[in-house]
Every structure is written in C-alpha cells, then in structure tokens.
Amino acid sequence: MRAQLERDFERFGRELPRDFAAHVRERYRVDLSARYLGFPLPHPIGKGSGQLSLHESQLETDHEAGLAFVVLKTLIAQDATGAQTMRAWATHETKMEIERRRTGDRDGWTVTWKGRGWDRSFEEYLTLVRVGRDLTGSGEMVVVPSVKYHLPVLDEPFHDAEYRFTTGALAREWGASPLPLEKDFSPTLAGDARSDERAAILRWLAEVPARIRAGAAVRLGVKLMNARFDDDFQRAMVEGTKGADALIVFNRLFDAEKGVAYGGWELSDRNLGVLGSLAPGVSPGSLTGTGNVCSGRMIVAYALRGCESVQLHTAFQLPLSAYPSSDGSRTQRVLHQMIFDPKDGLVAVLLELEAAGRLARRDGELKFLDLVDVDH
Ligand SMILES: Cc1cc2nc3c(=O)[nH]c(=O)nc-3n(C[C@H](O)[C@H](O)[C@H](O)COP(=O)(O)O)c2cc1C
C-alpha cells in the first residue's frame, strides 16, 4: 500500500481525479466519509469563509476539484431599510499578504489582511447564494452562507430587525429546505471593544442562535472566535453556546499590537489544546475544525478531538512552489497534498494509526469518522 501511495502521489500531482475519495475507498479500503453541519461528505476537507469564496468562478473551480464544501464570505447583516449596525465590518480592502510565520522550530504560514466582511451589495450576495443553493442541490458540493449580525454591548438590546430581515431573505433565496448558515464571530470582533466584557460574549452565544432561528428555519453553525481571554473562557464559550447544530472551532488569533488576525502553529496549538481539554458531550452540536490545517496529519489531530470535518483557508493561498504537485488549481493542489502525501497525508496517517493498533477496520475498511467516534 505504501508503494501504491507513492505512485498515486506522483501521478495525481499532475492531475487529480475529481472522485479521488472513491479511488481511495476502492484502492486502500479507506472510507474518507465525513460530515459538516449534518451534511454527509465524501471527505472532510472544505474551505473556510473568506476572500476565496467571493465569486461564482471560485465556486466552480472548487467544485471541479472535488472540494467537499465551501463557506461563502461573511455577509454583514442589514434590516429592511438597509441599515447595518455592524457596518464597520463591511470594509473594502484588497491587499493580502501571505507570510511565513515561525513558531519554535516549526514553519507555518499566515495571511495578513486588514479587511473584514462582504463589501458588495446585498443583492450580489443573494446571487452568489443562488449559485451555492444549486450546487448543494446537485449533491456534489455543499455551499453555506455566513453572516455577522448585530452584537450588542451588555446593557443594549439586540437589533432584531437585522436578524429577521437578513435570515429571511437568505432563506427565501435558498428555497424549501432549511437554510444552512454559519454565524461568524471573527478575530477582529475579538479585538474590538465590544468583546471587552466576558459576560457580553457569553450573552451573545446564549441568545444569538434563537434570534437567527426566529427569522427562518436554519441549520446553524456557530464559528467561535479565539477570545482574548484564557483557555477556561474558551471552554466556557463552547459550553455556553445554546441552540447551535454545529460549532466551527476556532477562528484566528488576534494580534492587538498590530491590529491584525493571524494563524499558523500558534493557532492550531491553541485550538487543539482547548478541544482536547473539553469534557465529553459539552459541545451543543457537532464540531468542525479550523486553524492551520496544513496536512492530513493535522486533519487527524482535529478529528481525534471531535471534529467531523475541517475548514481551510490559508493553505489555498500559498505560493505555487509550496505545493508538491506540478499542475492543477490551488484547490486541487491542496487536496492532492492533504490526501496523498506519503508521509503526512490523510491516507498515510490512517494506515499508520491502523499499524499502531489505534484504528481498526470495520467491514474491511478504515473509516475516517471512527476517529471522531472513538473518543467522543
Ligand atoms: C484573509 C482572510 C479572510 C477571512 N475572512 C473570514 C470571514 O469573512 N468570515 C469567517 O468566518 N472567517 C474568515 N476567515 C477565517 C478562515 O475562514 C479560517 O477559519 C481561518 O483563517 C483559519 O484557517 P486557516 O489557518 O486554514 O487559514 C478569514 C481568513 C483569512 C486569512
């Protein structure tokens, strides 16, 4: 199998077949099936919300490559008059820099960017949602909108009109089935004065899901931020989120001095540390990991801490020379490396766990989701 993996790595680096998960199942008897927000997926790799899901063409490239799911860029909610309490997040900023970020002896990457949420019109977002709805309906790639709604300071009421109008409009565009939706708590929010009070954050997490649901039937994922407090508070955020179907854990760290969000190994160290210390069953919903997912080995690390899938962003923005493949879109190159790398790819690491007696075959197959279920 090792020799086979070397050969697949070599040839798929020139051209990755869209149905690589079926190939892995047939050739290695490894079932990569995963889940995100209740959707069954052929494998666990999706794209986190950001600058790489702004345009229909980006969705087409991801669909062609065989990505399992994509979260659209975060829309800033508005009420029926078009007013946005979180308008400060609807800024236009195009310049992004991909930079190396070293933690101890580990080399990682981070994207530095001063922008925030969706900066085009509400109608243009609805158009993108329609494309996403059709792709999701085809069963070939799940596409999920993301929204940032009004978040009040402690003694302020919620501006419910924003919740109702925005959720209602997205749900109408989506059609008959419940709208899948992520609510983003971003690192720039973590760095904002609104987040100075722990009680204010816990109030948001307890109340926001119900306010979103009042606007329409949704399958709701709450993407938690890394707050500027300690790990105990991070755990309190997980336990204190009420009424979410899934948690996305955890958005990037915030560098208050530079005023920017960052990722890399510090992010995955923190996320995995907190996830590993959660008492079983405390999460209100299923878990999806995000943060420095740079290899299949890292996907396994998140899965062993309860994550049924992962959302990547930075990995899709590296210089072409950083990928082992010689051809293909960045999405194909990432998938090729994450799945087939003979040392740190998902197939290699699952075979390694089998050899170490930590994962057993069922009905002759190694199953990715068994990693999640083993400990949780
Ligand atoms: C440039 C950039 C923009 C992002 N914008 C959003 C956003 O609008 N909404 C959101 O929920 N997450 C956003 N993220 C967070 C990513 O979706 C992802 O969760 C995070 O970067 C951690 O994954 P990574 O280490 O693979 O990049 C953004 C990340 C980057 C780098």
Side-chain angles (χ1 to χ4, degrees), residues 39 72 126 128-137 142-145 168-180 217:
F39 290 98
L72 299 179
L126 293 181
L128 196 61
V129 168
R130 274 198 296 279
V131 176
R133 172 201 65 193
D134 293 345
L135 278 168
T136 306
V142 174
V143 180
V144 172
L170 293 174
R172 269 194 303 285
E173 217 57 61
W174 196 263
S177 53
L179 168 76

Side-chain angles (χ1 to χ4, degrees), residues 47-52 71-75 96 109-113 115-118 146 148 182-187 223 248 250-252 261-264 267-268 271 289-294 302 311-317:
K47 178 183 274 186
S49 172
Q51 301 323 99
L52 306 174
V71 185
L72 299 179
K73 178 67 189 171
T74 299
L75 170 73
M96 282 191 279
W109 296 92
T110 189
V111 180
T112 303
W113 182 60
R116 294 176 161 196
W118 179 262
S146 162
K148 181 179 258 102
E182 271 193 18
K183 163 71 184 97
D184 173 34
F185 289 91
S186 60
K223 185 168 182 182
I248 296 86
F250 299 98
N251 210 331
R252 299 202 297 167
Y262 67 98
L267 175 59
S268 49
N271 288 356
T290 191
N292 193 36
V293 176
C294 52
Y302 273 100
Q311 299 187 355
L312 290 57
H313 186 99
T314 301
F316 295 115
Q317 280 192 290

Side-chain angles (χ1 to χ4, degrees), residues 45-276:
I45 305 172
K47 178 183 274 186
S49 172
Q51 301 323 99
L52 306 174
S53 47
L54 296 166
H55 303 290
E56 186 175 342
S57 59
Q58 293 169 315
L59 296 180
E60 279 162 8
T61 304
D62 291 341
H63 174 235
E64 215 175 280
L67 202 62
F69 67 100
V70 174
V71 185
L72 299 179
K73 178 67 189 171
T74 299
L75 170 73
I76 308 305
Q78 63 177 61
D79 65 18
T81 70
Q84 296 170 305
T85 52
M86 306 296 275
R87 179 163 217 100
W89 271 266
T91 52
H92 180 71
E93 171 66 59
T94 50
K95 190 165 165 280
M96 282 191 279
E97 273 177 48
I98 176 90
E99 296 168 286
R100 285 196 175 274
R101 191 174 176 103
R102 205 172 163 78
T103 305
D105 59 355
R106 295 170 298 174
D107 264 327
W109 296 92
T110 189
V111 180
T112 303
W113 182 60
K114 295 258 184 182
R116 294 176 161 196
W118 179 262
D119 62 2
R120 306 203 319 263
S121 73
F122 195 75
E123 285 65 35
E124 282 172 281
Y125 198 80
L126 293 181
T127 304
L128 196 61
V129 168
R130 274 198 296 279
V131 176
R133 172 201 65 193
D134 293 345
L135 278 168
T136 306
S138 77
E140 291 184 350
M141 186 174 82
V142 174
V143 180
V144 172
S146 162
V147 180
K148 181 179 258 102
Y149 298 88
H150 176 231
L151 295 172
V153 294
L154 255 185
D155 49 5
E156 195 188 2
F158 279 88
H159 189 43
D160 276 315
E162 254 183 25
Y163 282 77
R164 275 196 306 274
F165 177 81
T166 301
T167 315
L170 293 174
R172 269 194 303 285
E173 217 57 61
W174 196 263
S177 53
L179 168 76
L181 186 69
E182 271 193 18
K183 163 71 184 97
D184 173 34
F185 289 91
S186 60
T188 47
L189 175 70
D192 190 81
R194 279 172 206 264
S195 301
D196 285 351
E197 298 276 355
R198 294 169 200 230
I201 299 175
L202 293 176
R203 174 185 173 218
W204 300 337
L205 297 172
E207 294 192 28
V208 158
R211 289 176 192 276
I212 295 173
R213 290 183 194 283
V218 291
R219 285 192 198 195
L220 183 62
V222 171
K223 185 168 182 182
L224 294 176
M225 60 189 180
N226 264 300
R228 285 171 295 140
F229 304 114
D230 60 9
D231 289 0
D232 281 343
F233 185 72
Q234 207 61 30
R235 283 185 285 272
M237 285 172 50
V238 171
E239 292 171 31
T241 306
K242 303 275 178 269
D245 297 306
L247 296 186
I248 296 86
V249 283
F250 299 98
N251 210 331
R252 299 202 297 167
L253 298 162
F254 190 73
D255 182 333
E257 220 163 86
K258 295 194 182 129
V260 292
Y262 67 98
W265 290 95
E266 276 162 83
L267 175 59
S268 49
D269 286 351
R270 174 148 214 238
N271 288 356
L272 294 172
V274 171
L275 290 172

Side-chain angles (χ1 to χ4, degrees), residues 346-365:
L346 191 51
V347 175
V349 177
L350 290 173
L351 293 173
E352 189 182 299
L353 289 175
E354 181 190 24
R358 293 185 60 199
L359 183 66
R361 286 181 186 266
R362 281 196 296 122
D363 305 327
E365 287 186 332

